[in-house]
Every structure is written in C-alpha cells, then in structure tokens.
Amino acid sequence: MREVIAKHKMKTFRSTLRTMWLVILLFQLGLILRTEAQLPDPCILSDTNRPPENSDIIVTCGTQYMYLSIYICPMYQALYNESMMALNNEFNKLECFGTADWTAVPPVLKFKIPLNESAITACNSNFKVTNEVGSGAFVDFSNVQYINISGEVNSRDPSTSKITYRSQILYKFSCRYPMQYLLNNTQVAVSGVNLAIQGNNGSFISTLNMQLYKDEGYKDRLEIPQTGINLKTKVYVSVKAENLTDRFHVLLDRCYATTSPIPLTSTFYDLFIGCTLNPQIKVELNGVSQMANFSFEAFRFVDHKEQIVSTYYVHCVTRLCETTSCSTLLPNCTTQGRRKRETHEVLPNATVSSPAILVSQQTRVDSPTFFSTHELAYESNYSSPVVAVIICICILTILLISMVVYFMFYIRQKKSMLQ
C-alpha cells in the first residue's frame, strides 16, 4: 500500500514538474517573442496594429515647418521601432530622427522639418526651384517660381547577416509651394488639404499682409474715417512677410485699385504693373527684403461723381522669390518684355480682400480725378482752373485792344478839332 501511494506521489510530482516546465518554456517563449516584436501597450488595442500601408503618413506643409506624422504601430508590427527610422537614411544625425507621440490616438512618429536651407540640407532632403509659365491671375508672367521640398523616411535593418526576414519600410513625402499670390488686405485663405505619401501643396500666403500708413517711415497706421480722406493725401502701402524663412524676399508684380472688394472686376485702375507707372506712384522697396513699399496720392473714381465719398480697394499681385534669383524676376522694361494682360478667374484659396479706402469729395485746385477703367486712366491735359485762366486772359486782351482803339480814335478827334 505504501509503495502504491509513493508511486502515485512520484507520478503526481513528475506531472506537476512537467507542467511547471511547460509554463516556464511558454513564458520564456513569450518573452522572446515580445522582445523580438517590441509591441508597446498602446499598440495592442490600436486599429493601426497591422502591417505598414501607404496611407500611414500624413504630410502638412506649414509656413515655417513641414510636419510628418507616421503611424508607429505598423513599424513595430514590421519588427522596427522609432530608433530604426530616420530621414533620408541619415542615422548618424540626431536632428534626422522623429519623436514618438504615444499620447496620440493612434500613436504616431512625428518629424518637424524647418524650412531653411541648413535644416533641409542637414538631413539630405531635396530643395528644388522650378520656373513655370504663369496662368490664371498670373498669365502676364512668363516666369512664376515654385518650390518643391521632398525626401523620404526609411527604416534601418539591424540584421548583421547576409539575409533578413524584415521588410523594408519607406515613406516618401513632398511639399510644393507656389511663390506668387494675389494679396489684398482683410481675409486670408490657406489651403488645408493633407495628402499621404505623394506629398502636399503648401502656401505662404498666411505670412503676407498689407498695411496702409500715413508717413514715409511706415510707422503710423493710416486710419480712414467714414467721411473719407482728402484728395491728394499721400497713402503709403507696405506688404510684409512675417514668420517666414529668410530664404525668400517679397516682390510686387502689380498693384491696382478696384471699386469692388472682388480683385478681378471690369472697373479697375492700375497703380503700377511691371514697368508701367503712374507719375503719382512711387515704388520705394521691391524684391530686396521681406518687405515691399510703395506710395500713391488719394484719388477718386469718375463713376463715383454722384457720391460724397469715393470708396475703392487696393490689391497687389505678390510673389515670394528666392533671394539669389529675385533680381532675375524684376520686370523686363524692354518693349519685347511687355505683354497685354488678360482677366482670368483666381482660385478662392489664392485671394484675399482689402479694407476700403474712402476719399471725400473735398477738392483742391490740383486734385485729379481718375477714370474707372485702365484705358481711360489719365485725365485731360486741361483742368477747370487752367480753362478759367485762359478765358480771363482772353477777356483782358480784348479790353486792352478796345482801350487802345478808343484812345487812338480820341486822339485823332482832338487833333482834327485843333486844326
């Protein structure tokens, strides 16, 4: 009996030992698998806990930075982690690695690329300037610039052998920025479309703004009362780029006034376009810094002759040029360089609207009135005061002649009486 009990205990002990060994082996196998996959807790229940896909990257083209957000859980599924992903295979530079954001839902690996030459070239991204023929609102310009910044985020396989069972991960990105905009003054519209993998279109128009000043130092803002400003008042206009990389300058191609807030209407007056410049307009700074300045004298539209206050809006076709190429984009003032302007529709995300400029009906002797359309932009050579002076001279001449004739007749009569 004792032998039977002893054998039973031994059998039970061996069975328990086998079970313990099995549990230990399973636990060790789990550790090995967990170590190999390195799957973090936030990824266990995430919808992105799957193999990598092309839609895993989101590209945002900002005005100062490019932002890349890549789902991080698929990287762990492919047996990689954030330390094995870098920009353009630059694994020896800390600034070329991303930052894991485990608080995001789903978790992402973020890259923040400054839009300056040193940061772009440091991680070997591509920076390319292309020249294209203008279209739409920029049909007059045969040289419109675009900036394209592109690169890739790729994985590094830690395997030291000649073969690997890990798949290569490669995310390509790009941002394309137009360098020319139709700038007005009150509303800014920026494209917010995000495209995965292929890239995205960005805009710098949110960095641009137009301000009106009353002094040539561009310090005191021009406040326009409801009664309007006086004719011939000097208006100083400044177009500035703020929070913009110093790689670009501001260049004004054309500035004009319209009676409507809508930039493209049939009633407009060109302040300047290329080399064509009204004598009352002075372009003081253009294409040499992140600010462009010009001034003009307040005028009235002839269409507003029945109105006490003439209201109009100033618009500027503005481009950002790369500092090294701005000089080549300045207007070509030769006869061959000038082209006739056509009116085309401007996309809403490229236009903004300006505040009203109000000019009162109060006049001075030398106050000009401008016609509504470009073809009739210049006044007659003779103003009302000049005509009045001419009439007065004519009347005085007639009176003088009459007096001379009268005295001659009177003297002759005296002589005849004396004889």
Side-chain angles (χ1 to χ4, degrees):
M1 185 66 180
R2 289 180 180 177
E3 291 180 358
V4 173
I5 294 173
K7 288 180 180 180
H8 179 71
K9 287 182 178 180
M10 182 61 70
K11 187 177 180 181
T12 304
F13 174 75
R14 289 175 178 174
S15 177
T16 304
L17 188 61
R18 290 194 193 98
T19 304
M20 288 178 63
W21 274 110
L22 182 60
V23 171
I24 292 172
L25 287 172
L26 289 173
F27 180 72
Q28 288 179 339
L29 181 60
L31 287 176
I32 292 171
L33 291 174
R34 184 174 177 82
T35 301
E36 182 72 16
Q38 297 179 347
L39 191 65
D41 292 336
C43 289
I44 294 174
L45 299 178
S46 175
D47 294 337
T48 58
N49 186 13
R50 52 163 174 71
E53 296 179 357
N54 284 344
S55 59
D56 288 347
I57 184 172
I58 298 173
V59 181
T60 303
C61 304
T63 57
Q64 288 185 287
Y65 299 93
M66 287 176 57
Y67 301 93
L68 311 179
S69 293
I70 309 174
Y71 294 151
I72 198 170
C73 295
M75 300 177 192
Y76 279 83
Q77 272 280 335
L79 304 180
Y80 294 98
N81 58 37
E82 60 270 25
S83 67
M84 301 176 185
M85 306 292 298
L87 288 169
N88 305 301
N89 208 35
E90 295 289 339
F91 289 96
N92 296 323
K93 300 177 182 179
L94 290 176
E95 63 268 30
C96 301
F97 287 87
T99 303
D101 185 358
W102 296 107
T103 62
V105 180
V108 292
L109 180 62
K110 294 182 176 180
F111 292 85
K112 184 179 178 182
I113 307 171
L115 296 184
N116 59 64
E117 187 172 7
S118 59
I120 292 171
T121 56
C123 293
N124 204 27
S125 294
N126 299 316
F127 184 97
K128 186 178 181 181
V129 180
T130 60
N131 296 315
E132 302 178 18
V133 176
S135 60
F138 311 114
V139 69
D140 283 348
F141 310 108
S142 59
N143 192 5
V144 177
Q145 284 190 321
Y146 289 83
I147 302 294
N148 190 283
I149 302 170
S150 61
E152 60 188 35
V153 176
N154 56 287
S155 60
R156 178 176 62 179
D157 197 325
S159 302
T160 57
S161 62
K162 293 183 178 180
I163 65 170
T164 182
Y165 292 98
R166 287 183 173 90
S167 60
Q168 175 72 18
I169 300 179
L170 183 66
Y171 297 104
K172 292 190 176 182
F173 63 88
S174 68
C175 277
R176 186 174 189 261
Y177 292 90
M179 291 290 99
Q180 194 155 0
Y181 306 95
L182 182 58
L183 179 70
N184 317 81
N185 205 27
T186 57
Q187 178 187 350
V188 176
V190 183
S191 174
V193 180
N194 291 326
L195 302 177
I197 292 297
Q198 298 297 329
N200 198 352
N201 292 322
S203 174
F204 289 120
I205 196 168
S206 64
T207 70
L208 300 170
N209 68 83
M210 180 192 297
Q211 297 292 344
L212 306 180
Y213 295 88
K214 60 182 180 182
D215 66 310
E216 60 184 7
Y218 294 86
K219 294 180 180 179
D220 298 327
R221 296 279 183 88
L222 177 63
E223 302 293 338
I224 301 178
Q226 291 299 315
T227 55
I229 58 178
N230 293 330
L231 287 165
K232 298 286 286 182
T233 298
K234 201 81 166 180
V235 179
Y236 297 88
V237 183
S238 180
V239 177
K240 299 178 183 178
E242 298 176 347
N243 299 321
L244 180 67
T245 171
D246 57 6
R247 191 182 181 101
F248 305 115
H249 286 170
V250 172
L251 192 152
L252 302 181
D253 285 311
R254 178 198 181 203
C255 289
Y256 60 102
T258 64
T259 55
S260 165
I262 302 173
L264 293 179
T265 61
S266 58
T267 304
F268 68 91
Y269 173 73
D270 273 326
L271 299 173
F272 68 87
I273 175 170
C275 304
T276 306
L277 192 69
N278 184 281
Q280 279 78 26
I281 312 301
K282 183 180 180 182
V283 179
E284 299 163 357
L285 196 66
N286 198 16
V288 295
S289 72
Q290 294 193 341
M291 176 189 303
N293 298 335
F294 71 95
S295 61
F296 67 94
E297 294 180 359
F299 54 85
R300 289 176 57 86
F301 275 86
V302 170
D303 286 355
H304 295 165
K305 60 186 177 182
E306 303 296 331
Q307 301 177 16
I308 297 176
V309 176
S310 178
T311 303
Y312 51 87
Y313 304 80
V314 172
H315 317 278
C316 284
V317 176
T318 308
R319 81 166 85 195
L320 297 176
C321 55
E322 193 184 10
T323 53
T324 57
S325 62
C326 287
S327 58
T328 64
L329 298 175
L330 288 171
N332 180 2
C333 296
T334 62
T335 304
Q336 293 80 5
R338 300 180 182 182
R339 298 172 55 192
K340 184 178 179 181
R341 180 173 182 82
E342 300 176 8
T343 300
H344 288 259
E345 184 181 1
V346 182
L347 297 178
N349 64 352
T351 59
V352 283
S353 300
S354 75
I357 296 178
L358 312 177
V359 180
S360 64
Q361 208 171 31
Q362 180 180 349
T363 59
R364 300 180 188 175
V365 173
D366 55 350
S367 299
T369 299
F370 292 101
F371 287 86
S372 299
T373 58
H374 180 60
E375 290 77 8
L376 301 176
Y378 297 97
E379 228 186 334
S380 173
N381 293 329
Y382 298 102
S383 61
S384 297
V386 175
V387 173
V389 171
I390 293 173
I391 292 173
C392 290
I393 292 173
C394 292
I395 293 173
L396 288 173
T397 303
I398 293 171
L399 286 174
L400 287 172
I401 293 172
S402 299
M403 290 177 67
V404 170
V405 171
Y406 173 79
F407 279 116
M408 289 179 64
F409 179 79
Y410 179 79
I411 291 171
R412 285 180 180 178
Q413 237 184 1
K414 278 281 187 183
K415 284 183 179 181
S416 60
M417 288 178 64
L418 290 173
Q419 291 174 357

